[in-house]
Amino acid sequence: ESIVRQFYNDAVSAMGRGDQASALAALEKVRHLHPQFKDAESLITKLESELKSEPVAADSTLASYYKSLHEDAVKALNNENWLQAVLRLEKLRVLKPDDQDVMKLLAHARANLKLAPSANAANARSKYSSRVYLAGACVALVMVPLLGFWFFSATSRARFQFLRGNYVRASQIYERLLSQHPEKVKLYIKLANIYLISGRDDDRAFRVFKTIVNLNLAPHIHPQINSVLAQRYLTNGTSNPDAIAVLENALKTEQSKENNL
């Protein structure tokens, strides 16, 4: 809490002296550590809008920040790290939307990312599905004798269909329950698990995944969810603050996996 507050105070001080680049950098640290801290998100949006409308002076602090981002983006492109390149180039596009060189590099990075989707994300989803399926099978051996007692409730029917591997029917029951009881957060977790197992990334799954991340529910499945959200954001070319945060989390997860190899 004290570290987040210090970053926030540094941002406010930087804004007071007109150093928007330093303020934005400090607020991004606040967002990564505590996304809902005070008005950090709205301040980031405001600063990005201001920076977008201001010319970048050659000797300004913002110019140094822009140059550093550009160097990191080019380095990522040379290393064929397409995800990191897209992240850096998206930020450059926000700061200076009329830079045609950035637009060309961004198009190049996006194209390569689509041609080579993350194998690590696919493997993680496959391993996750296998673990959940095996766990479900073991639970089924214990729970089948009790199903006669539970069968008549909607949640029990959903569990029964899930244990059978009928994920479509299980998700339909939970979706109907969620529409009737949107306040029951456990239903979001159950649906998210089913969507991850079945590899769904449609609009309904997207809304459930965003709710899980925004409410910080079931943190143990956030890496899988962030991988799905990142692929969607990158495919659609979205650059709003939520998208940038998801992409950066996905990048951190990938880098952490690489460091552990």
Side-chain angles (χ1 to χ4, degrees):
E1 185 73 18
S2 61
I3 293 173
V4 173
R5 191 177 300 279
Q6 182 60 53
F7 282 138
Y8 181 85
N9 292 338
D10 291 344
V12 172
S13 298
M15 291 175 65
R17 62 177 182 269
D19 188 352
Q20 295 169 312
S22 296
L24 182 59
L27 286 170
E28 285 180 344
K29 294 176 182 177
V30 172
R31 181 170 62 184
H32 293 160
L33 295 171
H34 192 332
Q36 286 79 38
F37 189 79
K38 291 188 176 182
D39 57 343
E41 192 66 43
S42 61
L43 288 177
I44 288 174
T45 304
K46 177 184 176 183
L47 284 171
E48 287 181 339
S49 177
E50 291 176 354
L51 291 171
K52 191 174 181 179
S53 61
E54 288 185 3
V56 180
D59 58 347
S60 66
T61 304
L62 179 57
S64 299
Y65 179 62
Y66 187 89
K67 181 181 178 181
S68 175
L69 276 177
H70 194 280
E71 290 174 350
D72 289 344
V74 172
K75 182 179 179 181
L77 287 170
N78 291 336
N79 293 332
E80 297 185 358
N81 191 336
W82 309 120
L83 177 58
Q84 186 174 4
V86 169
L87 284 171
R88 300 297 183 266
L89 291 166
E90 285 285 10
K91 288 188 176 183
L92 289 170
R93 186 169 68 88
V94 170
L95 295 174
K96 197 174 180 183
D98 58 343
D99 192 325
Q100 295 301 313
D101 178 57
V102 168
M103 297 303 293
K104 291 178 182 178
L105 293 176
L106 181 57
H108 173 68
R110 282 180 180 166
N112 280 280
L113 188 63
K114 290 177 183 178
L115 291 173
S118 175
N120 288 337
N123 290 336
R125 185 182 300 180
S126 175
K127 291 178 182 177
Y128 178 80
S129 300
S130 299
R131 288 197 301 269
V132 174
Y133 180 81
L134 290 173
C138 293
V139 172
L141 294 175
V142 178
M143 299 301 293
V144 165
L146 301 177
L147 284 176
F149 176 76
W150 288 347
F151 190 78
F152 293 100
S153 73
T155 54
S156 298
R157 292 198 305 274
R159 291 193 197 102
F160 179 67
Q161 296 297 338
F162 175 79
L163 293 173
R164 290 181 59 197
N166 190 348
Y167 303 129
V168 173
R169 180 57 182 154
S171 65
Q172 289 173 344
I173 296 173
Y174 282 130
E175 286 165 358
R176 185 168 63 253
L177 287 172
L178 184 60
S179 66
Q180 297 169 352
H181 305 283
E183 75 284 356
K184 294 187 179 298
V185 295
K186 288 185 178 180
L187 294 174
Y188 289 99
I189 300 174
K190 294 180 184 298
L191 277 171
N193 277 301
I194 294 175
Y195 293 158
L196 286 172
I197 293 171
S198 53
R200 282 182 54 176
D201 58 358
D202 52 84
D203 290 341
R204 186 188 293 272
F206 179 72
R207 289 194 296 271
V208 170
F209 289 153
K210 282 198 66 177
T211 301
I212 291 286
V213 173
N214 291 337
L215 297 181
N216 197 27
L217 304 173
H220 63 284
I221 61 174
H222 283 197
Q224 290 85 6
I225 289 176
N226 281 328
S227 293
V228 177
L229 295 179
Q231 289 298 323
R232 183 185 178 102
Y233 283 135
L234 291 169
T235 300
N236 296 338
T238 307
S239 59
N240 60 56
D242 286 343
I244 295 296
V246 167
L247 292 173
E248 289 183 339
N249 286 333
L251 176 60
K252 289 178 182 177
T253 300
E254 294 299 325
Q255 290 176 333
S256 177
K257 290 178 182 177
E258 291 177 1
N259 292 335
N260 291 331
L261 290 178

